[in-house]
Amino acid sequence: MTQPLASLRQSLACAYSAVPSETIALGAESLDRRLGGGILRAGLHEAYAETAADAPAATGFALALARRALAGAEKPLLWARPEALSAESGAPYPPGLADIGLDPAAVAFIRVRDAKEALQAGVEAGRCATVGATLIELFGEARAYDLTASRRLALAAATAGAPIFVARVGASPAPSAAASRWLVRAAPSRALAANAPGSAAFTIFLLRQRGGAAGQESHEWRVEWNRDRGAFEDRTFDASSLSGPVASLPVGGTPGEGASQRAGRKFG
């Protein structure tokens, strides 16, 4: 066992408790209605990035789910990430966590060597009643995350009654013990007053829900994260929120001439 995992085991005062059978409402009416109230609290949930560019969206979606899980509970979030991902995307950004509604001081971030250690950290933390939620990030197909590993995580979540979220990048959705599985794509946000940055928006697909109605396993929503309510909201995309055509720079001539000529050809 490496030093980060050993320290984690020593620092967690595990006290196992009975598992309440309850759900976590996400806040968006149509979403919660489809889920039958929300996602299982004592369960494992997966968020797959549709493409590599959607990796921040998948992690952000999982963090927002964790924020919902932690509402009203004075418990920390344990966030485990392999070193390779940290080298690629850096450390968590405290103002960004606060913008989601998470207290940066209540987020225990652990950087581990690889996917195997990330999963071990998740099991250690996930089955501990003193941890309110756990987030594990994995990159690539991550062979260590097989059906057996996912079952261990699901059992750990059920033991302590706290959810475990696995955010995956560069991997195809595969069978696992997850109670719910999501495919996440970044969506354009709507600017606020004075052209301030808008709320985070997501296009999400429910790929699997354990116990979901037969024939209705896949569904898509467009939602926005309301930072004030700490909840998702249904979102209808309008034309103004969509990306418009981008004029490319001309090869030769002045930028103004090139742009006006192309605009004339396109709209004239």
Side-chain angles (χ1 to χ4, degrees), residues 47-59 85 88-89 136-142 166-172:
Y48 282 79
E50 186 173 54
T51 68
D54 296 308
T59 300
L85 267 177
E88 188 71 23
S89 55
I136 301 169
E137 287 184 284
L138 299 176
F139 179 79
E141 294 301 334
V166 177
R168 305 203 60 184
V169 180
S172 300

Side-chain angles (χ1 to χ4, degrees), residues 190-198:
R190 295 178 293 184
L192 302 177
N195 206 30

Side-chain angles (χ1 to χ4, degrees), residues 65-208:
L65 293 179
R67 160 67 180 81
R68 294 291 296 170
L70 293 170
E74 296 183 357
K75 295 182 178 181
L77 166 69
L78 191 289
W79 182 352
R81 175 190 285 172
E83 289 179 351
L85 267 177
S86 292
E88 188 71 23
S89 55
Y93 183 55
L97 295 174
D99 200 46
I100 292 175
L102 291 166
D103 178 3
V107 177
F109 179 72
I110 178 170
R111 187 168 53 192
V112 294
R113 187 167 51 191
D114 52 27
K116 185 178 179 180
E117 288 195 352
L119 296 170
Q120 289 177 333
V123 170
E124 293 286 345
R127 65 188 180 187
C128 186
T130 57
V131 175
T134 300
L135 170 61
I136 301 169
E137 287 184 284
L138 299 176
F139 179 79
E141 294 301 334
R143 295 172 58 186
Y145 186 63
D146 56 14
L147 191 56
T148 300
S150 71
R151 283 174 173 164
R152 288 197 184 103
L153 290 175
L155 180 60
T159 300
I164 297 178
F165 304 101
V166 177
R168 305 203 60 184
V169 180
S172 300
S176 72
S180 75
R181 181 177 302 122
W182 304 84
L183 188 67
V184 184
R185 178 197 309 156
S189 64
R190 295 178 293 184
L192 302 177
N195 206 30
S199 301
F202 309 87
T203 298
I204 54 176
F205 303 82
L206 178 59
L207 301 177
R208 179 181 190 270

Side-chain angles (χ1 to χ4, degrees), residues 217-232:
E217 294 296 322
S218 180
H219 202 90
E220 172 187 348
W221 289 267
R222 293 178 177 179
V223 295
E224 194 171 65
W225 178 250
N226 186 314
R227 66 193 74 178
D228 297 324
R229 290 182 54 232
F232 290 100

